[in-house]
Amino acid sequence: MSLQSSLNREFISVNNIKSRQITIIGGRGRMGRLFAEQLLAIGHQVNALGQQDWDYAEELLNQADLVIVSVPIEHTVDVIKRAAKYLAPTTALCDITSIKTQPNQAMLTHHNGAVMGLHPMFGPSVTSFSGQKVVVCPGRNDDAFHWLLDFLKNQGADLITCTPEEHDEMMVFIQATQHFCRFSLGVFFAQANLDIEGSLLMSSPSYRQEIEILQRLFRQNPSLCVDIMLATEERCQAINSLADTYNRLAKLVVNKDREALIREFAENKQFFSRG
C-alpha cells in the first residue's frame, strides 16, 4: 500500500506554480484544514499528520519545506519536541496556537532551522483570510517565511508583528478574560433558563450581537474554550482577579450603594477617554 493510500491524504496540489511541500501536524482538525485548503488553492502540496500517522513521520516531516503545528494548546510543546527529531535543518517550522512564548521557545530549542510563531485571530469557520488578523512572532531565519507571510497578505490578511512575550501578555485580556466573561454569562443565562428567542424580540443591537457571540462560543469544542482560559498561569490569575472585581462590584449592588457605584464609574471613565 502506498504512503498516500495508507494515510488517506486529502490534500494534493493541483495548480501549476512553484510548489512547496507542506505538512500540517493536526491537519485534519478544523483550523488545520482551513490552512490546508487555502494553501492548496494556490498550488502547494499539503499533507496532514494526525495522531494515527506518526509511523510515517519521517516521510511526512523530513522532506517538508514547511511544517505547521496545529494541535490543542496543551499538546503543542510536546508535539514540537516529538516532531523536531524528524526535521531537516532546511525545514521551516511554525505553530498556530494561541500562546506563543512556550511554543516559540520549544521550537528554537529543539529545531535548528527557521522558526516562527503565528496566531490567527479568527476561528476555522471563516471561508478566507481576507480581512482577518494574524499575529506574527519571529523566531529565527525570518526570510524562510517571507513566502508564507506574502501568501497571507495576498489573501487579504492583516499581519501584526510582536514578540511572543508581548503577544501572551496582550492575549490575557483579548482572549482569556473575554472567554471567561462570555462563558460565565452563558452559564448564567442557561441556569436562568432564559427565553433567548423571546429576549431577542425586544433586544438592542448590542444584545443581539452578544447573543450571537455566545452562541458561537458554545458551538465550539468545549476543550478549546477551556484551554484558552487555562493556557498559562498569568491567564488564570487574571481571571481570578476579574472575578474579585465582579464580587466587589456585586456587593455594592447588593448593598444598593449608589454613590459608590457612581464613584467607580467616574474614576474609571477617564481610562476609556484616553486618546
Side-chain angles (χ1 to χ4, degrees):
M1 181 179 292
S2 69
L3 177 62
Q4 179 173 332
S5 299
S6 66
L7 294 180
N8 188 27
R9 293 192 293 187
E10 305 96 337
F11 310 139
I12 303 172
S13 177
V14 295
N15 289 344
N16 213 3
I17 69 163
K18 180 183 176 182
S19 181
R20 287 176 172 84
Q21 187 74 32
I22 301 165
T23 294
I24 301 179
I25 305 177
R28 295 185 182 89
R30 294 183 65 201
M31 186 62 81
R33 288 192 66 88
L34 173 65
F35 269 76
E37 290 164 0
Q38 297 297 317
L39 288 162
L40 276 170
I42 64 167
H44 296 295
Q45 300 178 46
V46 185
N47 295 318
L49 193 160
Q51 291 181 358
Q52 70 273 31
D53 302 326
W54 282 95
D55 288 345
Y56 305 99
E58 186 170 1
E59 294 93 326
L60 290 171
L61 297 173
N62 185 256
Q63 301 301 317
D65 298 303
L66 171 68
V67 171
I68 300 174
V69 178
S70 176
V71 298
I73 294 171
E74 74 272 22
H75 301 308
T76 298
V77 169
D78 287 339
V79 166
I80 289 169
K81 293 178 182 178
R82 187 178 184 184
K85 68 182 76 170
Y86 300 106
L87 301 180
T90 54
T91 299
L93 176 64
C94 75
D95 80 296
I96 55 173
T97 194
S98 61
I99 61 171
K100 293 273 72 81
T101 303
Q102 293 174 351
N104 266 39
Q105 187 56 56
M107 290 189 290
L108 289 168
T109 299
H110 297 282
H111 179 47
N112 293 326
V115 165
M116 180 171 284
L118 301 177
H119 182 190
M121 297 302 299
F122 50 87
S125 60
V126 303
T127 57
S128 78
F129 297 145
S130 180
Q132 305 295 338
K133 293 183 182 294
V134 179
V135 180
V136 178
C137 296
R140 181 193 296 130
N141 298 347
D142 295 351
D143 288 351
F145 296 95
H146 279 175
W147 70 268
L148 178 62
L149 301 183
D150 286 344
F151 155 73
L152 292 170
K153 287 188 286 189
N154 290 338
Q155 296 294 310
D158 179 18
L159 305 186
I160 302 95
T161 301
C162 67
T163 67
E165 293 77 15
E166 289 169 339
H167 167 278
D168 287 356
E169 181 179 355
M170 198 61 72
M171 287 305 131
V172 169
F173 304 99
I174 293 173
Q175 272 200 321
T177 57
Q178 289 302 297
H179 268 64
F180 178 75
C181 288
R182 286 165 175 151
F183 174 62
S184 301
L185 185 60
V187 170
F188 172 72
F189 282 171
Q191 289 179 343
N193 197 25
L194 172 68
D195 177 4
I196 291 178
E197 293 304 319
S199 72
L200 290 172
L201 293 175
M202 58 184 75
S203 66
S204 64
S206 61
Y207 176 83
R208 290 195 296 273
Q209 183 179 49
E210 188 64 34
I211 290 295
E212 290 173 1
I213 292 172
L214 290 175
Q215 289 172 330
R216 287 199 301 272
L217 177 68
F218 281 90
R219 282 196 295 266
Q220 291 180 4
N221 182 323
S223 295
L224 177 61
C225 175
V226 171
D227 290 345
I228 284 173
M229 293 187 289
L230 302 182
T232 65
E233 183 61 29
E234 289 77 12
R235 294 186 182 202
C236 295
Q237 290 178 2
I239 288 170
N240 188 57
S241 179
L242 174 62
D244 288 342
T245 301
Y246 276 147
N247 288 331
R248 177 173 62 81
L249 295 176
K251 287 178 182 177
L252 297 180
V253 172
V254 169
N255 293 331
K256 298 181 174 58
D257 193 336
R258 185 173 183 272
E259 292 304 316
L261 288 166
I262 290 174
R263 186 164 57 251
E264 288 278 357
F265 191 104
E267 289 175 355
N268 292 283
K269 179 179 180 179
Q270 296 178 4
F271 177 83
F272 292 97
S273 300
R274 297 175 182 175

